[in-house]
Amino acid sequence: MPLLPHVDEIEVDPVTEALPGQDFGSRVELALAASNHLFNSRNSTRYVAQVLQGVNVVATKLDRTTRPFTGVGPAEMKARIGAVDLDRPLPDTAAALEELEAVYLRDAVYFHDTKYAAHLNCPVVIPALVGEAILSAVNSSMDTWDQSAGATMIERRLIDWTAGRLQLGAVADGVFTSGGSQSNLQALLIARNHAVAALRRVPANAGLRLPSLLEKLRIFTSADSHFSIQKSASMLGLGFDAVIPVPCAPDHRMDPAALAEAMAETHDAGLVPMAVVATAGTTDFGAVDPLAELAALARAYGAWFHIDAAYGGGLMVSNRYRHLLDGTRLADSVTVDFHKTFFQPVSSSALLVRDRSMLQHVTYYADYLNPESAALAEIPNQVDKSIQTTRRFDALKLWLTLRIMGAEALGALFDEAIDLAARVGSALAADDDFELAAEPQLSTLVFRYRPPVSGAGADAHGRLSEDAADSLNPAIRAAVFASGQAVVAGTTVAGRHYLKFTLLNAEATLEDISGIIELLRRTGAGLLASDNAGPAATNGASA
Ligand SMILES: *Cc1c(COP(=O)(O)O)cnc(C)c1O
């Protein structure tokens, strides 16, 4: 089996080489040297050598990194990067990679580290990195068949596979996107145009221009849903306040009775319920809204039913928790982020629709790219389904992941993270120094440091008061981040500050996370002690 030579064994001519027997003036020499950097058959050895150098640097980094971050601050990074003279290139790739150590790699935030527990960033799987290397080199663009060929068919197969797992039915379709925010935007764009088309069929609205129709549209989503819903509403000309936040039950799932009430009020006020956006895995609590009940309410009002499964989408390959996604079959559209719970590198996401004809709401024919004649000739131009034009072949990463690892293996990784979250939840619930905001539902934990204390700062139950906890917890988070020993997230619940773990690393153990908890405890106790020492010392001095 042919193996790639080790990087040190590859002989590469210097980039200024002239082709044999050629003699050029200096202008041509520059062009020749430049063309040595082009990805083509003449430079294939150089391509392998340089990419391997880059990969080796990362692998070496991986071997030597023992914490997720160094704690570097923005001012120092800005100064270091500002000092680079971008108009004076370095002699070779090795020199640039050496410089990269100081301007990026040394101080990057490493998601593969078991002490990284902050945001929905996953450790990535190697098959997807192989895909990333291939897709960026071949550089297919997904807008038209004549820029992608088989890549289009691979993307389409994966869309069908995903729609199948979500049980969206025989005429489902979809498209890869840059992320969950874009998927949500496209879903709501389709929902908006669908609602406008219905309004246009009402005789009383005949002749009304688009802006006056948009005024009437309302979107319902839980108070815990992702902010990309509000941003989408704004970009779609509806305004932030077209989004009606629906209260959640104590378990942070949208309360269907509250939705029914909000929809009835809107309807009675002569407004149009355009869409209900359910979340399958909220960003903070991992809550999966009661999909079937919300779908029924959406249907009763003729509203579009979108499910934002940016986080929970990985459940579709789960071996133990797949049932949590029951109900996706009732959706008009679904957002799935492969770069969260499918362990894919950024970016990789998709929007799925139950009825493929709905994607026509984003179709626009341009003679220079995708003329209508091409659609009539059934030439598969994915740009007809997308709000992007030039677009990466991100689907290749998922393709290779499924072909090399398989869906079950992928699901096992997410299952591990969910199980770990449950164990960490029990540990935190039993710990007097911490307060858990809710039982974990997927792989997140929202909690705060609120130890028993006495004297000033104590509440009636002898615990650190809510106000004191409010200033202490963000300070703990910042101090831990600055130490680089762990990275945790923060959020607010009912206006109060909390800490958050987002666990997606199947290799993290209970001991790893307990280590972070001990670090948080030590940091919190230290901050409390220094707070108390401050005023006490002053008193002592003035006495
Ligand atoms: C992360 C997230 C999004 C946004 O996805 P991006 O890929 O970051 O754009 C949307 N909805 C939910 C529930 C999320 O967790």
Side-chain angles (χ1 to χ4, degrees):
M1 171 169 164
L3 274 179
L4 285 175
H6 186 269
V7 60
D8 296 336
E9 292 158 11
I10 301 175
E11 282 195 25
V12 185
D13 305 318
V15 288
T16 47
E17 82 179 313
L19 292 177
Q22 287 175 322
D23 183 23
F24 297 109
S26 67
R27 217 184 111 231
V28 182
E29 243 169 52
L30 180 65
L32 178 65
S35 75
N36 284 337
H37 292 286
L38 288 172
F39 170 76
N40 60 29
S41 58
R42 184 169 65 82
N43 293 327
S44 60
T45 316
R46 213 186 309 279
Y47 158 64
V48 172
Q50 294 192 24
V51 171
L52 280 184
Q53 271 177 287
V55 169
N56 271 345
V57 164
V58 178
T60 309
K61 191 82 228 159
L62 218 53
D63 285 347
R64 300 197 180 140
T65 304
T66 52
R67 50 187 185 162
F69 185 44
T70 58
V72 72
E76 189 187 333
M77 281 319 294
K78 186 177 179 197
R80 252 192 261 161
I81 289 168
V84 171
D85 184 351
L86 288 178
D87 293 316
R88 285 168 54 110
L90 294 164
D92 54 22
T93 305
L97 291 172
E98 200 182 310
E99 178 187 80
L100 198 65
E101 170 71 9
V103 297
Y104 175 54
L105 289 171
R106 186 195 309 154
D107 302 281
V109 178
Y110 286 99
F111 303 151
H112 70 273
D113 192 287
T114 52
K115 294 276 198 297
Y116 179 86
H119 303 285
L120 275 163
N121 308 107
C122 48
V124 294
V125 292
I126 296 168
L129 293 177
V130 176
E132 188 75 64
I134 294 172
L135 75 93
S136 60
V138 181
N139 201 27
S140 299
S141 180
M142 304 309 296
D143 34 344
T144 55
W145 167 254
D146 70 358
Q147 303 176 71
S148 59
T152 283
M153 294 309 166
I154 285 181
E155 172 166 315
R156 289 187 165 194
R157 253 319 275 290
L158 288 171
I159 288 291
D160 290 346
W161 177 84
T162 308
R165 292 250 165 184
L166 295 170
Q167 299 181 291
L168 287 176
V171 295
D173 198 359
V175 69
F176 272 67
T177 69
S178 66
S181 303
Q182 195 195 338
S183 296
N184 285 342
L185 172 63
Q186 183 169 353
L188 289 171
L189 170 62
I190 293 170
R192 183 197 75 172
N193 290 3
H194 186 60
V196 165
L199 283 176
R200 285 234 156 96
R201 286 194 289 271
V202 178
N205 292 330
L208 283 183
R209 295 195 59 246
L210 190 62
S212 44
L213 293 172
L214 297 187
E215 262 171 25
K216 296 189 199 311
L217 305 179
R218 293 294 179 273
I219 299 165
F220 300 84
T221 192
S222 93
D224 278 28
S225 72
H226 194 261
F227 75 112
S228 56
I229 307 304
Q230 277 80 358
K231 274 192 162 181
S232 298
S234 161
M235 286 187 272
L236 292 169
L238 308 179
F240 291 131
D241 54 10
V243 180
I244 299 183
V246 180
C248 289
D251 61 3
H252 296 274
R253 301 162 80 220
M254 199 198 295
D255 176 1
L259 175 65
E261 199 178 312
M263 291 187 92
E265 258 175 41
T266 303
H267 181 260
D268 293 348
L271 301 168
V272 178
M274 172 190 116
V276 172
V277 179
T279 312
T282 56
T283 313
D284 275 350
F285 289 98
V288 180
D289 287 337
L291 302 176
E293 285 160 278
L294 305 186
L297 281 164
R299 180 150 320 134
Y301 284 94
W304 187 268
F305 185 52
H306 176 65
I307 299 178
D308 177 0
Y311 175 17
L315 294 169
M316 79 176 81
V317 290
S318 162
N319 307 297
R320 293 200 287 277
Y321 303 104
R322 201 164 167 165
H323 59 274
L324 292 174
L325 277 189
D326 284 353
T328 54
R329 91 186 86 87
L330 303 167
D332 291 306
S333 55
V334 183
T335 288
V336 176
D337 252 2
F338 299 113
H339 61 215
K340 285 179 176 167
T341 42
F342 281 77
F343 305 94
Q344 302 290 295
V346 176
S347 58
S348 185
S349 179
L351 171 70
L352 291 303
V353 292
R354 157 214 292 298
D355 173 359
R356 67 163 71 108
S357 72
M358 289 296 139
L359 289 174
Q360 284 166 11
H361 285 296
V362 300
T363 306
Y364 194 98
Y365 297 114
D367 289 342
Y368 48 79
L369 188 67
N370 59 331
E372 190 165 14
S373 56
L376 296 174
E378 294 186 9
I379 293 170
N381 288 334
Q382 292 291 85
V383 72
D384 294 350
K385 307 176 183 184
S386 175
I387 58 179
Q388 285 172 267
T389 306
T390 303
R391 187 161 57 82
R392 288 164 56 86
F393 180 28
D394 285 316
L396 182 63
K397 295 178 283 191
L398 180 60
W399 178 268
L400 284 180
T401 302
L402 294 180
R403 299 310 293 144
I404 296 170
M405 284 178 73
E408 262 182 49
L410 214 45
L413 291 179
F414 191 25
D415 284 353
E416 283 297 303
I418 296 173
D419 291 345
L420 176 62
R423 292 200 296 275
V424 174
S426 308
L428 281 171
D431 192 323
D432 282 344
D433 289 343
F434 290 92
E435 193 176 59
L436 197 57
E439 290 292 309
Q441 301 188 45
L442 290 181
S443 65
T444 60
L445 292 128
V446 180
F447 61 97
R448 58 183 171 173
Y449 177 66
R450 235 188 126 191
V453 291
S454 55
D459 70 1
H461 308 285
R463 272 204 117 157
L464 188 68
S465 73
E466 293 231 61
D467 286 345
D470 255 355
S471 49
L472 182 58
N473 281 278
I476 296 173
R477 180 183 173 216
V480 166
F481 186 64
S483 81
Q485 290 176 278
V487 186
V488 304
T491 190
T492 60
V493 183
R496 295 296 185 179
H497 286 282
Y498 281 76
L499 301 169
K500 183 170 92 168
F501 288 148
T502 306
L503 305 178
L504 284 179
N505 192 338
E507 287 213 343
T509 60
L510 185 57
E511 289 67 44
D512 289 317
I513 309 304
S514 299
I516 306 181
I517 294 172
E518 290 319 309
L519 177 65
L520 295 169
R521 192 195 320 270
R522 273 201 310 279
T523 309
L527 287 167
L528 270 183
S530 63
D531 266 7
N532 292 337
T538 314
N539 291 344
S542 61

